[in-house]
Amino acid sequence: PRGIMSVIRKKKDPIWLKPDWAFLEKGESVPPLRSPLRREKGVLGAFMLDLGGGVMIHGTPQEHLLGRSVTHGCIRVGYEDLKVLFDSVQVGTKAFIY
């Protein structure tokens, strides 16, 4: 989504909490909200900047797919660039997405 957002949270080694659509896309049944099946390590890379509303700037273990339209709204960044961004941006920093 386009707009002016703010970094509301930063996290090292984030764990992805899979939303319902992630299961439905694979034809799987949707587990309860607190199910361990919803937690996936490594999918978001080493760092994450949360912009709210389910939108994040994060890494990826599949850097060869950077620049392709393969996400559901998140912004994926390569490790080195994301490390610099994570180290320099504070919670509350505005993010202009266009």
Side-chain angles (χ1 to χ4, degrees):
R2 294 183 171 139
I4 301 172
M5 301 173 184
S6 295
V7 176
I8 62 170
R9 182 171 61 116
K10 293 170 49 171
K11 180 92 174 140
K12 288 184 181 179
D13 299 318
I15 295 174
W16 186 40
L17 297 176
K18 292 171 68 172
D20 292 353
W21 60 257
F23 296 95
L24 296 173
E25 279 186 349
K26 293 181 177 181
E28 300 172 352
S29 44
V30 177
L33 289 176
R34 297 197 186 273
S35 169
L37 295 174
R38 288 192 179 258
R39 301 174 64 81
E40 255 187 67
K41 293 180 180 180
V43 176
L44 301 178
F47 307 101
M48 177 269 295
L49 302 170
D50 189 351
L51 303 179
V55 178
M56 296 178 271
I57 299 171
H58 63 78
T60 176
Q62 300 172 320
E63 289 196 14
H64 64 283
L65 294 177
L66 289 174
R68 296 188 184 189
S69 182
V70 296
T71 73
H72 286 83
C74 285
I75 300 149
R76 297 171 307 122
V77 180
Y79 178 84
E80 294 300 325
D81 292 329
L82 186 57
K83 171 92 170 88
V84 169
L85 188 61
F86 186 86
D87 289 343
S88 8
V89 170
Q90 302 301 317
V91 170
T93 300
K94 290 197 183 300
F96 297 82
I97 310 298
Y98 58 93

